[in-house]
Amino acid sequence: MAKGFEWEFTPDQNDIDACKGAAMPCTSGYTYPKESTAIWYGKRWMKETGRTGTVKSIPAHQKTSSYVLDY
């Protein structure tokens, strides 16, 4: 597992209503060195996108490589 943290967004009821009933949680996909940094960037993302809900820090997931082999 990768070291570091990423943010995870969970929408509140106002956000779900604004998205016409769709609950669309998401994660950052980026790795930050500290929990507080991940949360700061998550809250910044919420403000920039106009989303409402909660942001928390979670351990970053290691990204797996994907590629296509040509035969």
Side-chain angles (χ1 to χ4, degrees):
M1 181 174 278
K3 290 183 179 182
F5 302 90
E6 61 182 311
W7 54 259
E8 178 181 68
F9 168 74
T10 304
D12 63 10
Q13 191 59 49
N14 290 334
D15 191 75
I16 293 169
D17 293 343
C19 293
K20 299 181 178 154
M24 296 185 287
C26 59
T27 58
S28 64
Y30 296 102
T31 301
Y32 302 97
K34 298 187 299 184
E35 290 180 89
S36 60
T37 305
I39 291 169
W40 186 88
Y41 277 101
K43 288 182 178 184
R44 178 179 164 193
W45 174 84
M46 283 177 49
K47 184 176 182 179
E48 290 174 352
T49 59
R51 303 287 301 267
T52 60
T54 58
V55 169
K56 68 178 182 178
S57 175
I58 60 171
H61 295 96
Q62 185 173 5
K63 309 298 184 250
T64 57
S65 300
S66 61
Y67 51 89
V68 176
L69 296 175
D70 292 328
Y71 289 95

